[in-house]
Amino acid sequence: FQYDKSFPETDKVKVLVIGNSFARDWVNVLLASEHVDRLAISYIEHPFEHVELQARSAKADRIYYSEAGVEDVAKLGLPVEKLKVVGTKSFGVSIGRFYIHGREGYCEQRTDLAPGTALANVKARTAWGDRYLDLLAPLQDASGQVPVFTSTCRFISQDARHLTRAGAQY
C-alpha cells in the first residue's frame, strides 16, 4: 500500500499497477526483478473509487491491471496501448500437505491448480490476447500441474494463492 502515491518527477519508467492482492503480488515481482532500479511504481487498489486514476494512468508508461475485465478497462477509460493484464495464479487449494519433511523428491513436488483456475486463465488469455501476461503457462507441466517450491526449495506461495518473497523472485 506504500506505493499508492503519485509518480515522482523522474526519468524512470513509470509503472502503474491496479488491482487486488494479486496486483500487490505483481508489485512484489517487479520489486524483485533486475529492472527495479529503473522503475517508478504506483499502485491503485480500487480504481473505480480512486481520485488519481486518470492522472496516474495518463503519466504511466506502462499499466498492469491484475485480472482485469474488458468491460472494467473500458469503463475506466484506461489507455489500452499501455496496458498489460496480469493473469491469475494458483498453487493448489492448500499447501498444508507439503509441509511433511523427509520425503524423497520433497522440493520437486507439484500440485494441481485450484478448481476453475485453468478455465479462467484460458478465458482471460483469449479475451486479452497479447496484452495478457500468463503467469501459469510457464510453470505448468504436461499434466497442468505447477511447482510448490522454487529451484532453491523455498515455498512459492504460503497460502496457495499469493507469492512469498522467494516466489516473487522466482
Side-chain angles (χ1 to χ4, degrees):
F1 295 107
Q2 71 191 40
Y3 291 94
D4 187 354
K5 59 186 177 186
S6 300
F7 290 112
E9 290 301 320
T10 181
D11 290 337
K12 293 182 177 185
V13 176
K14 294 173 184 74
V15 177
L16 176 60
V17 181
I18 303 171
N20 57 16
S21 60
F22 278 21
R24 290 190 296 277
D25 269 354
W26 186 249
V27 169
N28 288 328
V29 169
L30 295 173
L31 293 173
S33 80
E34 63 190 48
H35 306 288
V36 67
D37 293 334
R38 297 185 304 211
L39 305 177
I41 300 171
S42 179
Y43 168 70
I44 292 176
E45 181 174 24
H46 300 291
F48 286 99
E49 303 163 10
H50 206 286
V51 296
E52 288 189 21
L53 174 68
Q54 294 307 318
R56 289 191 205 177
S57 64
K59 284 186 177 180
D61 297 306
R62 296 199 176 106
I63 300 172
Y64 294 99
Y65 197 153
S66 177
E67 299 190 72
V70 175
E71 303 81 22
D72 287 346
V73 169
K75 286 179 191 174
L76 291 168
L78 294 174
V80 177
E81 66 278 2
K82 299 179 184 182
L83 181 70
K84 291 286 188 181
V85 175
V86 180
T88 192
K89 59 194 178 329
S90 167
F91 298 95
V93 177
S94 168
I95 64 163
R97 65 188 174 108
F98 297 107
Y99 281 102
I100 302 168
H101 292 280
R103 293 172 30 186
E104 185 176 326
Y106 179 75
C107 295
E108 287 76 42
Q109 293 181 90
R110 301 182 73 81
T111 188
D112 295 323
L113 302 177
T117 302
L119 180 59
N121 195 51
V122 168
K123 285 181 179 180
R125 188 174 53 232
T126 301
W128 288 107
D130 64 354
R131 298 219 169 275
Y132 189 67
L133 298 177
D134 190 337
L135 302 180
L136 290 176
L139 299 176
Q140 289 180 291
D141 60 19
S143 67
Q145 291 187 320
V146 294
V148 175
F149 297 98
T150 68
S151 55
T152 58
C153 201
R154 306 286 304 269
F155 273 114
I156 293 173
S157 174
Q158 75 279 6
D159 62 359
R161 303 271 299 161
H162 300 92
L163 299 173
T164 61
R165 181 175 296 201
Q169 292 167 342
Y170 180 74

